Amino acid sequence: MHYAKASQLAALAAAARYVTEAEPPELPAEALAQLRQVLEEYDRQVRGLSAP
C-alpha cells in the first residue's frame, strides 16, 4: 500500500476509535456498533500484515 494511503487509513481508524470511545449521543447505537465492527476488522487485517 502506498505510504500516504496507509497513513490516511490509520488517521481514519484513529478518528473512528475516538468516536466509538466518546459515544456521542447524536450517533445512533447501530452506527456505533457498525463502526466497532469495521475497527475490529481493520485490527484483524493489520495484525495479519505482521504475521509471518
Side-chain angles (χ1 to χ4, degrees), residues 6-37:
S7 64
Q8 291 169 346
L9 186 55
L12 285 172
R17 287 183 207 290
Y18 174 80
V19 170
T20 60
E21 290 172 8
E23 295 185 0
E26 64 272 12
L27 198 60
E30 179 64 26
L32 281 170
Q34 290 175 353
L35 196 50
R36 286 185 179 108
Q37 288 175 348

Side-chain angles (χ1 to χ4, degrees), residues 1-10:
M1 181 182 288
H2 189 272
Y3 176 75
K5 291 180 183 176
S7 64
Q8 291 169 346
L9 186 55

